[in-house]
Amino acid sequence: MNFCSEPGRIFARDENGRLVAEVTFPQQGGVAVINHTFVDPSLRGQGVAGQLLQAAADTLRQQGLRAHPTCSYAVHWFSVHPDQQDLLV
């Protein structure tokens, strides 16, 4: 899946321009609060949410930011990816 990004957001749209996947992480004082993950039901079970979180983690690392996950999926994703724990505040 091809993701687009803008500050504090990584997302994907389908061929009709409809939002089908998104993770949002507004920044507050050098910390990105990962507060929302959405995957359209048509894409669930295909690993898209995990791809979104990996893209967000890569983006935060490149920007030198730390992460504070508040979205339940993001909390879970970080718990099963010990290699990403260094991003957490």
Side-chain angles (χ1 to χ4, degrees), residues 7-89:
R9 179 178 182 228
I10 297 173
F11 62 99
R13 296 189 183 277
D14 67 10
E15 60 277 354
N16 296 316
R18 186 174 60 94
L19 182 69
V20 293
E22 174 182 53
V23 61
T24 58
F25 45 96
Q27 299 172 24
Q28 301 172 353
V31 175
V33 178
I34 304 174
N35 62 3
H36 172 72
T37 304
F38 162 76
V39 175
D40 187 79
S42 66
L43 296 174
R44 292 194 182 146
Q46 299 177 40
V48 174
Q51 293 173 32
L52 279 171
L53 264 291
Q54 185 63 61
D58 293 345
T59 297
L60 298 178
R61 195 176 305 288
Q62 291 169 352
Q63 295 176 353
L65 297 171
R66 303 292 300 272
H68 176 66
T70 59
C71 155
S72 61
Y73 182 80
V75 169
H76 169 74
W77 187 86
F78 276 98
S79 76
V80 298
H81 289 86
D83 57 317
Q84 301 296 330
Q85 297 295 309
D86 64 304
L87 285 174
L88 298 177
V89 291

